[in-house]
Every structure is written in C-alpha cells, then in structure tokens.
Amino acid sequence: MELSVAQKQVIDTKNKSLLVSASAGSGKTFVVVERIVDSIKAGKDISKMLILTFTNAAASELKERIVNKLYDIKEEYLKVGDKENAKRIAKQIFTLE
C-alpha cells in the first residue's frame, strides 16, 4: 500500500496521542494498526494503550488485524532465533485474545 504523507506522519509520530479521522476506505485502520504494532515492537505494552473506535465492528476489525500482524512478527523473530522478543510479542497476543 502506498502511504500518503499524512499517513506516514501518523505512523511515525511517537509519544503523542493522535486522532485519526478520515472517510471510509482511506486507510485509517491500516495506519492505526501500523502505529500500534510499531509501538509494541518498540517495547510498549498493549495493555497500557487507549485505543478507541466508534463501533464494536471497527474494534473487532482493528483487534483482528493487530493480532494477525503480531503473529507474523512473532514468527519473524523465531526464524532469526530471537526467542526473547518472540516471547514478548506472544504476551501481547495473549493480552488481546
């Protein structure tokens, strides 16, 4: 997916709360997932994050995408023998499931 300048800015902005608001199909969920996963990879705990959506359906979609991405990241860590980070990511997955 080709990201816009604004989307890249949302993903790359660290240590700040952000409101992501845009029309349907604009990539909001993708951007929010990338931002959350980047934070988790950097060592932040998902249980310390406040993530709000407008609907239960949106929350379910967001959670599913985060979990799927975290499973992929855990597998990447295991492939390179990084058991410590794989275990840390597995803990985040467990928290979400």
Side-chain angles (χ1 to χ4, degrees), residues 2-78:
E2 186 74 27
L3 298 175
S4 71
V5 172
Q7 289 171 319
K8 288 177 188 174
Q9 188 177 16
V10 168
I11 293 170
D12 295 339
T13 299
K14 306 297 182 214
N15 301 315
K16 278 185 156 181
S17 298
L18 293 176
L19 170 66
V20 178
S21 179
S23 62
S26 62
K28 287 183 304 294
T29 303
F30 177 83
V31 167
V32 171
V33 167
E34 290 301 309
R35 182 175 166 78
I36 293 165
V37 169
D38 283 357
S39 293
I40 292 170
K41 284 174 66 176
K44 297 203 176 178
D45 190 326
I46 189 75
S47 67
K48 305 289 188 217
M49 296 180 199
L50 175 63
I51 304 160
L52 304 172
T53 64
F54 288 107
T55 67
N56 288 335
S60 293
E61 176 69 19
L62 190 61
K63 179 180 169 183
E64 180 181 335
R65 288 194 197 185
I66 292 167
V67 167
N68 289 341
K69 186 99 175 176
L70 290 176
Y71 270 116
D72 292 344
I73 291 166
K74 184 184 90 167
E75 290 304 313
E76 289 174 19
Y77 282 137
L78 288 173

